Amino acid sequence: MNEYGTPRTDLALEAREALTRRTREDIPGVMVETAEDEEILITRVNIATPEAERMMGKLQGSYVTIEARGLREKNTPLQDKVMKYLADELVSLAKLPPKAVVLVVGLGNWNITPDALGPRAVDKIVVTRHLQGMLTPELKGGVRSVCAIAPGVLGITGMETAEIVHGIVSKIGPDLVIAVDALAAASSHRVITTVQLADTGISPGSGVGNKRFGLNKQSLGVPVIAVGVPTVVHASTIAMDTINTLQQHAAFARYFKSMENLSDQDRNMIVRQVLPETLGDLMVTPKEVDRLIEDIASVVAGGINQAMHPNIDYENIHMYLH
Amino acid sequence: MNEYGTPRTDLALEAREALTRRTREDIPGVMVETAEDEEILITRVNIATPEAERMMGKLQGSYVTIEARGLREKNTPLQDKVMKYLADELVSLAKLPPKAVVLVVGLGNWNITPDALGPRAVDKIVVTRHLQGMLTPELKGGVRSVCAIAPGVLGITGMETAEIVHGIVSKIGPDLVIAVDALAAASSHRVITTVQLADTGISPGSGVGNKRFGLNKQSLGVPVIAVGVPTVVHASTIAMDTINTLQQHAAFARYFKSMENLSDQDRNMIVRQVLPETLGDLMVTPKEVDRLIEDIASVVAGGINQAMHPNIDYENIHMYLH
Amino acid sequence: MNEYGTPRTDLALEAREALTRRTREDIPGVMVETAEDEEILITRVNIATPEAERMMGKLQGSYVTIEARGLREKNTPLQDKVMKYLADELVSLAKLPPKAVVLVVGLGNWNITPDALGPRAVDKIVVTRHLQGMLTPELKGGVRSVCAIAPGVLGITGMETAEIVHGIVSKIGPDLVIAVDALAAASSHRVITTVQLADTGISPGSGVGNKRFGLNKQSLGVPVIAVGVPTVVHASTIAMDTINTLQQHAAFARYFKSMENLSDQDRNMIVRQVLPETLGDLMVTPKEVDRLIEDIASVVAGGINQAMHPNIDYENIHMYLH
Amino acid sequence: MNEYGTPRTDLALEAREALTRRTREDIPGVMVETAEDEEILITRVNIATPEAERMMGKLQGSYVTIEARGLREKNTPLQDKVMKYLADELVSLAKLPPKAVVLVVGLGNWNITPDALGPRAVDKIVVTRHLQGMLTPELKGGVRSVCAIAPGVLGITGMETAEIVHGIVSKIGPDLVIAVDALAAASSHRVITTVQLADTGISPGSGVGNKRFGLNKQSLGVPVIAVGVPTVVHASTIAMDTINTLQQHAAFARYFKSMENLSDQDRNMIVRQVLPETLGDLMVTPKEVDRLIEDIASVVAGGINQAMHPNIDYENIHMYLH
């Protein structure tokens, strides 16, 4: 938890929820708008001031979340809809000219299933940078130059992901980097049901694997859009939530003298008691996480593909895939 | 939780711990003995009466757990030691003649990493039933006739695992079935650090995948030894533990009026609040579960191999592997 | 090569081609009919007499091959068409009542890519036997009771596949077994472009892994339809073809005195010279065999699914899959 | 075949064999020395002049092959011996100071089994560059700073491997690049039994995937040592060998008038007849290629690890692995 008592989450949406639950008032410098239909809720959170950045514990910038509880079921029409919304939001954040060169980077460790979203999504990206000479003129207008890599994590390569990406960016000179990563959520119901886009890039400390580095315009010299999906909740969040539930629900009030005064120190002591030696390493995931990661990687890659290549015939998208 | 308030666990050891914590006295009909060195703790729990069976929520019989916290590290000498202890305990439970035919069954779903222990272990079993005619006389004394299968789960095959195993047992006529399965623990520190052997076979409702069937002498007509390793804790157990911790530690007493009277119904209400729509499907696992499952599957298979084939040269064990 | 000089092939079609090329006349007791459109050629070979069985080196019965060279490209409409033809031929060979119970068996070794067709296809079979109680009446008419297993090969299980299948058949009592297997072809252009159905079951010695057993009505007590796809050509076939080409093409006649008299013994000596110590173990496959096996497994499973479950909505077929 | 009629091979050893078989004399500018024991044959080929480079179709430089037929069996002592020889030859080619930084690059496509040697070997490399600050002084002398990446092929990333490697080299500044790649051999008995080291780097057109680029001192600015293992023979090589065998063995002379005059054009016509539409795409591999690639990748990575980190305790090498 940060100084404002928000739980550990990579979603700006949840950081705001936690903060307003605590302070019970709006956060100055944070603008929110939502749009929804019966299956999907889109929330746009804009963190507009340094003070808001500090309170939220999230970088200044625009965050869009697309939530659809049905994503955990094998629901093809819903997956297609989320892909389309994701493509629209990505187009609107990226403001790319048709001739842009885009590098998609899949972050995370392919040997750790809930951290493997990035590499799995990169597998399904339609790469075209090497085909630009072969495209017909009519296709050319709707197929951007896309390349993609999953560089692997520090423990696998001995190199910071940021070093590898920086080296490649220097050589390739893309107009935009899209970084796909697995995130941690505060609420179990957001796991693999929510996609977040952010024009802030990747922050140090974020993601399932706790990135040690940032990937953003400052470090790479080109704009970075992060596309992430929460795939885990930290086990400590479950313990924390249990305490909060006890504390906040009037139904349990009769048991307590003074739970509203429970100090953060005592909270942490309880959590350490429950999750002792391995605190922070335990992840809560749905049992079918292997299949769900595969499915959501298709949705993420599909959305990126549609945003990058508006003219491809998506009936036959697999023909463009390696 | 069952009627005696024990948490959800497949370990007889933990069922007993929970019960004695609650009743603060010994359980009639349950015998316990332990042996330990500085790295490994062996506990033998014997459930000897129908009353003890009812209270523990575990079938009458012998349960042996081998615990070694170091198993989560890549510690080859410790893994070798656990293998050896596992082999010894298995030999002592199984009381097999040298010429016995043994069928090893790997339960669980290979598509769900924490449920894949059984199939992964079966991959590493030294099968010899088809080689019996080719063994030299001196080897023959120390290499039993072993066959092995991972039949897959109901959703994959459309057949109950028990049906498949029963069909094969009828055809093959083994003297013993060893069933390897992934289990759920109550304590996160036992996940992938503990191996349990039981001469009771597999109970309905047990395992990560909640078996609908039993595999035991009654259903198969031959003795069944279960070898299991906890690979998950149910997320609800974390919530439950948090409440118990609050309740039991004097340090927090000042916050409460009457937590000792917290009803089971209220407990469950809190847990459902924290883990609402997906209650029961959320699993807590170590982040590196993919690697850990692979490692512990080697330990389990290694122990079974040594128990079955005392004369094989384990320096070159891989030469016997497919 | 068998006594009539036919090369090593599991396709009845190719056995016949080789024989007629050699004898330059029709084979008594072998009936052939073909149907084709511009992309697909269907050939039905009926081996009707014991003499024909002996000459062809293939069991008496009906063999249908569906050939489509385009199957090696990622051509979805063609794949769909082949699936449909495969379903039609399967329905016509199987003559199943709507309420039949069907067991699909995936033969072969999942650790050897070109031998993994059976296991990969079984992965994509819509199993429904365990859901029969849950189907709505209108669905029930068009969804047969299907179960499926990939039992693994002798070296992995220590049990003959035929033993395992026989054990399961005894327990489950299916009306039909469909056995899916990877085959060897004589012509490289048939690799992964041809599907063969046969109402004769699986013969000993056939398949990439050279089955030691037969799976047929005699051994299992229920009818067995084999569905196979050639995934390899034996390397020795390439050497043999080279000699045949030299011998048969007038263009090269000036080099030879008497190649038409080349004895089978000399032929084999040349092949052993080219492929010495490892003769028979070397396989010729397309470079992209990993991807091609995955694609053709989908076609085979799709055809079986459509034949078994005529009423399923194949737009959403994945919803029925594990 | 190149202008001197040598078959398609990435091994300098085989290029020389073919050339001397043809010309029946030594090649000027090519020095050869061999060393052997009963299991292993080491051959050092030095191509010392531009003329020798042209005749051999291989870049000027030093090529070392370590051949051990037993490598296809699961023979641990032999694997350990080859590892050790490989380490020795690598040390002697690389002449690295103890403090050197080394980048290991795994070339090839992880989705194509016989092309996956590079990525699989990189998986087993002990990377240490990120740990340099944490090593004890006594370890530091014997553990070099190693990093590693398998960048993926053009069709997967949209970037030439050479671009990616060049970008990373610019950023990291290694003293040496070791490039691991799967090769094509001319003789089937060399497949997965031979390791080649070359101080020339990677040539365009080489490898299973036919690299379009070179990776060498000229293109990267640092020395590049290539470590390769043949994993395939092109199917056309089998056909070509068959013709050569017919032609060269006196035993068959009675069939021919004038095979010694068979033109290269006629040769190619025969091969195209045998392997028509897919010429060049068909690969000959051992049936167990999946397992063999895994085994040989361990040997290659083990040799590199020992050469780079002479002081690591190889009993516990896995403790250093991710």
Side-chain angles (χ1 to χ4, degrees):
Chain A
M1 300 215 294
N2 73 7
E3 64 177 301
Y4 291 90
T6 50
R8 201 162 157 196
T9 176
D10 294 317
L11 298 177
L13 177 73
E14 290 187 338
R16 184 182 158 269
E17 276 175 5
L19 209 51
T20 52
R21 195 162 44 224
R22 196 141 169 144
T23 62
R24 287 162 206 276
E25 52 190 47
D26 277 0
I27 308 151
V30 176
M31 267 76 67
V32 180
E33 64 174 55
T34 60
E36 66 187 300
D37 66 20
E38 51 195 18
E39 292 178 306
I40 297 180
L41 169 63
I42 298 181
T43 308
R44 295 186 191 87
V45 174
N46 196 283
I47 302 179
T49 65
E51 170 62 11
E53 173 172 318
R54 204 174 57 85
M55 290 186 71
M56 293 275 286
K58 300 275 165 249
L59 294 174
Q60 260 183 267
S62 294
Y63 298 81
V64 181
T65 45
I66 304 169
E67 288 177 77
R69 303 259 168 129
L71 277 178
R72 283 211 208 150
E73 320 306 321
K74 283 192 161 286
N75 181 339
T76 315
L78 178 62
Q79 289 175 337
D80 288 347
K81 214 160 108 183
V82 172
M83 260 185 232
K84 176 135 190 11
Y85 284 149
L86 170 51
D88 291 347
E89 297 294 331
L90 188 49
V91 164
S92 131
L93 274 183
K95 301 180 199 75
L96 279 180
K99 300 220 162 167
V101 175
V102 177
L103 171 63
V104 182
V105 178
L107 302 173
N109 187 339
W110 47 74
N111 293 325
I112 293 179
T113 304
D115 197 25
L117 172 74
R120 303 266 178 98
V122 153
D123 252 12
K124 300 170 206 290
I125 291 294
V126 175
V127 297
T128 51
R129 180 172 169 273
H130 58 311
L131 305 173
Q132 291 296 306
M134 296 147 66
L135 295 177
T136 55
E138 60 273 23
L139 206 50
K140 219 157 187 171
V143 175
R144 284 200 184 79
S145 175
V146 171
C147 51
I149 193 164
V153 297
L154 183 63
I156 286 179
T157 63
M159 298 177 275
E160 290 286 0
T161 307
E163 291 180 296
I164 300 174
V165 175
H166 195 261
I168 295 171
V169 163
S170 307
K171 186 78 192 169
I172 303 293
D175 300 292
L176 174 71
V177 169
I178 297 175
V180 182
D181 198 11
L183 306 177
S187 308
S188 58
H189 70 257
R190 288 222 174 79
V191 168
I192 317 201
T193 61
T194 301
V195 183
Q196 175 177 274
L197 295 94
D199 64 5
T200 57
I202 298 286
S203 306
S206 71
V208 170
N210 278 321
K211 309 289 163 294
R212 298 185 354 172
F213 56 87
L215 274 190
N216 48 46
K217 185 157 188 182
Q218 215 171 338
S219 66
L220 293 183
V222 291
V224 180
I225 291 181
V227 179
V229 175
T231 62
V232 303
V233 168
H234 290 282
S236 55
T237 304
I238 301 287
M240 211 59 97
D241 275 4
T242 308
I243 301 169
N244 291 340
T245 303
L246 263 169
Q247 198 177 350
Q248 284 155 14
H249 282 261
F252 308 124
R254 60 198 152 100
Y255 294 120
F256 306 113
K257 282 190 218 138
S258 55
M259 273 288 270
E260 63 273 22
N261 302 326
L262 187 70
S263 68
D264 280 358
Q265 197 185 331
D266 277 354
R267 242 174 232 281
N268 288 334
M269 199 196 300
I270 298 167
V271 173
R272 269 200 308 276
Q273 200 83 34
V274 177
L275 299 164
E277 76 273 66
T278 47
L279 184 68
D281 269 329
L282 289 171
M283 300 286 186
V284 183
T285 60
K287 200 170 77 175
E288 322 84 338
V289 66
D290 306 70
R291 177 181 66 75
L292 292 171
I293 289 280
E294 203 55 40
D295 286 358
I296 198 75
S298 297
V299 170
V300 167
I304 295 174
N305 286 336
Q306 287 183 30
M308 295 301 110
H309 310 308
N311 280 11
I312 280 185
D313 165 14
Y314 285 91
E315 284 287 291
N316 280 306
I317 185 72
H318 56 275
M319 296 186 64
Y320 301 85
L321 287 169
H322 33 85
Chain B
M1 299 215 292
N2 72 7
E3 64 178 301
Y4 291 89
T6 51
R8 202 164 157 194
T9 176
D10 294 316
L11 299 175
L13 178 74
E14 289 186 340
R16 184 184 157 268
E17 277 176 4
L19 208 50
T20 52
R21 196 162 43 224
R22 195 137 170 149
T23 62
R24 288 163 206 275
E25 53 190 46
D26 277 0
I27 308 151
V30 176
M31 268 76 68
V32 180
E33 66 176 52
T34 60
E36 65 188 298
D37 66 18
E38 51 193 18
E39 292 177 308
I40 297 180
L41 170 63
I42 297 181
T43 309
R44 295 186 191 86
V45 175
N46 196 284
I47 302 179
T49 64
E51 171 61 12
E53 172 171 319
R54 204 175 56 86
M55 289 186 71
M56 293 274 285
K58 300 275 165 248
L59 293 174
Q60 259 182 268
S62 294
Y63 298 81
V64 181
T65 45
I66 304 168
E67 289 177 76
R69 301 258 169 131
L71 278 178
R72 283 212 208 150
E73 321 306 320
K74 282 189 163 288
N75 181 339
T76 315
L78 179 62
Q79 290 174 337
D80 288 347
K81 213 159 108 184
V82 172
M83 258 185 232
K84 178 140 187 7
Y85 284 150
L86 171 52
D88 292 346
E89 297 294 332
L90 188 50
V91 163
S92 132
L93 274 183
K95 301 179 199 75
L96 279 180
K99 300 222 163 166
V101 175
V102 177
L103 171 63
V104 182
V105 179
L107 302 174
N109 187 340
W110 48 73
N111 293 325
I112 293 180
T113 304
D115 197 25
L117 172 73
R120 303 265 179 100
V122 154
D123 252 12
K124 300 170 206 289
I125 291 295
V126 175
V127 297
T128 52
R129 180 172 168 273
H130 59 310
L131 304 172
Q132 290 297 305
M134 297 147 65
L135 295 176
T136 56
E138 59 272 22
L139 206 51
K140 220 158 187 171
V143 175
R144 284 201 185 79
S145 175
V146 171
C147 51
I149 193 164
V153 298
L154 183 64
I156 286 180
T157 63
M159 298 176 277
E160 289 287 359
T161 307
E163 291 180 297
I164 299 173
V165 175
H166 196 261
I168 295 169
V169 164
S170 307
K171 186 81 192 167
I172 303 292
D175 300 293
L176 173 71
V177 168
I178 297 175
V180 182
D181 198 11
L183 306 177
S187 308
S188 57
H189 71 256
R190 287 219 175 82
V191 168
I192 317 201
T193 62
T194 301
V195 182
Q196 174 177 274
L197 294 94
D199 64 5
T200 56
I202 299 286
S203 305
S206 71
V208 170
N210 278 319
K211 307 291 163 294
R212 300 186 351 173
F213 57 86
L215 275 190
N216 47 46
K217 185 156 187 182
Q218 215 171 339
S219 66
L220 294 184
V222 291
V224 179
I225 291 182
V227 179
V229 174
T231 62
V232 303
V233 167
H234 290 282
S236 55
T237 304
I238 301 286
M240 210 59 97
D241 275 4
T242 309
I243 300 170
N244 290 340
T245 304
L246 264 169
Q247 197 176 352
Q248 284 155 13
H249 283 263
F252 308 126
R254 59 195 153 101
Y255 295 122
F256 307 112
K257 283 189 219 144
S258 56
M259 274 289 270
E260 62 274 23
N261 302 325
L262 187 68
S263 68
D264 280 359
Q265 198 187 329
D266 276 354
R267 244 173 228 282
N268 288 333
M269 200 196 298
I270 296 167
V271 173
R272 271 200 308 275
Q273 200 83 33
V274 177
L275 300 164
E277 76 273 62
T278 49
L279 183 70
D281 269 328
L282 289 171
M283 300 287 185
V284 183
T285 60
K287 199 170 77 174
E288 323 83 338
V289 66
D290 305 69
R291 176 181 67 75
L292 293 171
I293 289 280
E294 204 54 41
D295 285 359
I296 198 75
S298 296
V299 171
V300 167
I304 296 174
N305 286 335
Q306 286 183 33
M308 296 300 110
H309 311 308
N311 280 11
I312 279 186
D313 165 14
Y314 284 91
E315 285 286 291
N316 279 305
I317 184 72
H318 56 275
M319 294 186 65
Y320 301 85
L321 286 170
H322 32 85
Chain C
M1 299 216 294
N2 72 7
E3 65 178 301
Y4 290 89
T6 50
R8 201 164 156 196
T9 175
D10 295 316
L11 299 177
L13 177 73
E14 290 186 339
R16 184 182 157 269
E17 277 175 5
L19 208 51
T20 53
R21 193 162 46 224
R22 196 137 169 147
T23 62
R24 288 163 206 275
E25 52 190 46
D26 277 0
I27 309 151
V30 176
M31 268 77 66
V32 180
E33 65 176 52
T34 61
E36 65 187 300
D37 66 20
E38 52 193 18
E39 292 178 307
I40 298 181
L41 170 63
I42 297 182
T43 309
R44 294 186 191 87
V45 175
N46 197 282
I47 302 179
T49 65
E51 170 62 10
E53 173 173 318
R54 204 173 57 84
M55 290 185 70
M56 293 275 286
K58 299 276 164 248
L59 293 175
Q60 259 183 267
S62 296
Y63 298 81
V64 182
T65 45
I66 304 168
E67 288 178 76
R69 303 259 169 131
L71 277 178
R72 283 214 207 148
E73 321 306 322
K74 284 192 162 286
N75 180 339
T76 315
L78 179 62
Q79 290 175 336
D80 288 347
K81 211 159 111 183
V82 172
M83 258 184 234
K84 178 139 188 9
Y85 284 149
L86 170 51
D88 291 347
E89 297 295 331
L90 187 50
V91 163
S92 128
L93 275 183
K95 300 180 199 74
L96 279 179
K99 300 222 162 168
V101 175
V102 177
L103 171 64
V104 182
V105 178
L107 302 173
N109 188 340
W110 47 74
N111 293 325
I112 293 179
T113 304
D115 197 24
L117 173 74
R120 303 265 179 101
V122 153
D123 252 11
K124 300 171 206 289
I125 291 295
V126 175
V127 297
T128 51
R129 181 172 167 272
H130 58 310
L131 305 173
Q132 291 296 305
M134 296 147 66
L135 295 177
T136 56
E138 59 272 23
L139 207 50
K140 218 155 188 172
V143 175
R144 284 199 185 80
S145 175
V146 171
C147 51
I149 193 164
V153 297
L154 184 64
I156 286 180
T157 63
M159 299 177 276
E160 290 286 0
T161 307
E163 291 180 296
I164 300 174
V165 175
H166 196 261
I168 295 170
V169 163
S170 307
K171 186 78 191 168
I172 303 293
D175 300 293
L176 173 71
V177 169
I178 298 175
V180 182
D181 198 11
L183 306 177
S187 310
S188 58
H189 71 256
R190 287 222 174 79
V191 168
I192 317 201
T193 62
T194 301
V195 183
Q196 174 176 275
L197 294 94
D199 64 4
T200 58
I202 299 286
S203 305
S206 70
V208 171
N210 277 321
K211 307 290 162 295
R212 298 185 352 172
F213 56 87
L215 274 190
N216 48 45
K217 185 157 187 182
Q218 216 169 340
S219 67
L220 294 184
V222 292
V224 179
I225 292 181
V227 179
V229 174
T231 61
V232 303
V233 167
H234 290 282
S236 54
T237 305
I238 301 286
M240 211 59 98
D241 275 4
T242 308
I243 301 169
N244 291 340
T245 304
L246 264 169
Q247 195 176 353
Q248 284 155 14
H249 283 260
F252 309 124
R254 61 198 152 100
Y255 295 122
F256 306 112
K257 284 189 217 136
S258 55
M259 273 288 270
E260 62 274 21
N261 302 326
L262 186 69
S263 69
D264 280 358
Q265 199 185 329
D266 277 353
R267 240 173 232 282
N268 288 333
M269 200 196 299
I270 297 167
V271 173
R272 269 200 306 277
Q273 200 83 34
V274 177
L275 299 165
E277 78 272 65
T278 47
L279 184 67
D281 269 327
L282 289 172
M283 300 286 186
V284 183
T285 60
K287 199 169 78 174
E288 322 83 337
V289 66
D290 307 70
R291 178 182 65 76
L292 292 171
I293 289 281
E294 203 54 41
D295 286 358
I296 198 75
S298 296
V299 170
V300 167
I304 295 174
N305 286 335
Q306 287 182 32
M308 296 300 110
H309 311 306
N311 281 10
I312 280 186
D313 165 14
Y314 284 91
E315 285 286 292
N316 279 305
I317 186 72
H318 57 275
M319 294 187 65
Y320 302 84
L321 287 170
H322 33 83
Chain D
M1 299 215 292
N2 72 7
E3 65 178 300
Y4 291 89
T6 51
R8 201 164 157 194
T9 175
D10 295 316
L11 298 176
L13 178 74
E14 289 187 340
R16 183 181 158 271
E17 276 175 7
L19 208 51
T20 53
R21 196 163 43 223
R22 198 140 169 146
T23 62
R24 288 162 206 275
E25 53 190 45
D26 276 0
I27 308 151
V30 176
M31 269 77 67
V32 180
E33 67 176 52
T34 61
E36 66 188 298
D37 67 19
E38 51 193 18
E39 293 177 306
I40 297 181
L41 170 63
I42 298 181
T43 309
R44 295 186 191 86
V45 175
N46 196 284
I47 302 179
T49 64
E51 171 62 10
E53 172 171 318
R54 203 174 57 85
M55 288 185 72
M56 294 275 285
K58 300 274 165 251
L59 294 174
Q60 259 184 268
S62 295
Y63 298 81
V64 181
T65 45
I66 304 168
E67 288 178 76
R69 302 260 169 131
L71 278 177
R72 282 212 209 151
E73 322 305 322
K74 284 192 162 285
N75 181 338
T76 315
L78 179 60
Q79 290 174 337
D80 288 347
K81 213 160 109 183
V82 172
M83 259 185 233
K84 175 132 192 13
Y85 284 150
L86 170 52
D88 291 347
E89 297 294 332
L90 187 50
V91 164
S92 132
L93 274 184
K95 301 179 199 75
L96 277 181
K99 299 221 163 166
V101 175
V102 177
L103 172 64
V104 182
V105 179
L107 301 174
N109 187 340
W110 47 74
N111 293 325
I112 293 179
T113 304
D115 197 25
L117 172 74
R120 302 266 179 100
V122 153
D123 251 12
K124 299 170 206 290
I125 291 295
V126 175
V127 297
T128 51
R129 180 172 169 274
H130 58 310
L131 304 173
Q132 290 297 304
M134 296 147 66
L135 295 176
T136 56
E138 60 273 24
L139 206 51
K140 220 157 187 171
V143 175
R144 284 201 184 79
S145 174
V146 171
C147 51
I149 193 164
V153 297
L154 183 64
I156 286 180
T157 63
M159 298 177 277
E160 289 287 359
T161 307
E163 291 180 297
I164 299 174
V165 175
H166 196 261
I168 295 171
V169 164
S170 308
K171 186 80 193 168
I172 303 292
D175 300 293
L176 173 71
V177 168
I178 297 175
V180 182
D181 198 11
L183 306 176
S187 307
S188 58
H189 71 257
R190 288 219 174 82
V191 168
I192 317 202
T193 62
T194 301
V195 183
Q196 174 176 274
L197 294 93
D199 65 4
T200 57
I202 299 287
S203 306
S206 71
V208 171
N210 279 319
K211 308 290 163 293
R212 301 187 348 176
F213 56 87
L215 274 190
N216 48 44
K217 186 160 187 180
Q218 214 172 338
S219 66
L220 293 184
V222 291
V224 180
I225 292 181
V227 179
V229 174
T231 61
V232 303
V233 168
H234 290 281
S236 55
T237 304
I238 301 286
M240 210 60 96
D241 275 4
T242 308
I243 300 168
N244 291 340
T245 303
L246 264 170
Q247 197 176 352
Q248 284 155 13
H249 283 262
F252 308 123
R254 61 196 152 101
Y255 295 122
F256 306 112
K257 285 190 217 137
S258 56
M259 272 290 269
E260 62 274 23
N261 301 326
L262 187 68
S263 68
D264 280 357
Q265 197 185 330
D266 276 354
R267 241 174 232 284
N268 288 334
M269 200 197 299
I270 296 167
V271 173
R272 268 201 308 277
Q273 200 83 34
V274 177
L275 299 165
E277 77 273 63
T278 48
L279 184 69
D281 267 329
L282 289 171
M283 301 286 186
V284 183
T285 61
K287 200 170 76 174
E288 324 81 340
V289 67
D290 305 70
R291 177 180 67 74
L292 292 171
I293 289 280
E294 204 54 40
D295 286 359
I296 199 74
S298 296
V299 171
V300 166
I304 295 174
N305 286 335
Q306 286 183 34
M308 295 301 110
H309 310 307
N311 280 10
I312 279 187
D313 165 15
Y314 284 92
E315 284 287 291
N316 279 306
I317 183 74
H318 56 275
M319 295 186 66
Y320 301 85
L321 287 169
H322 32 84

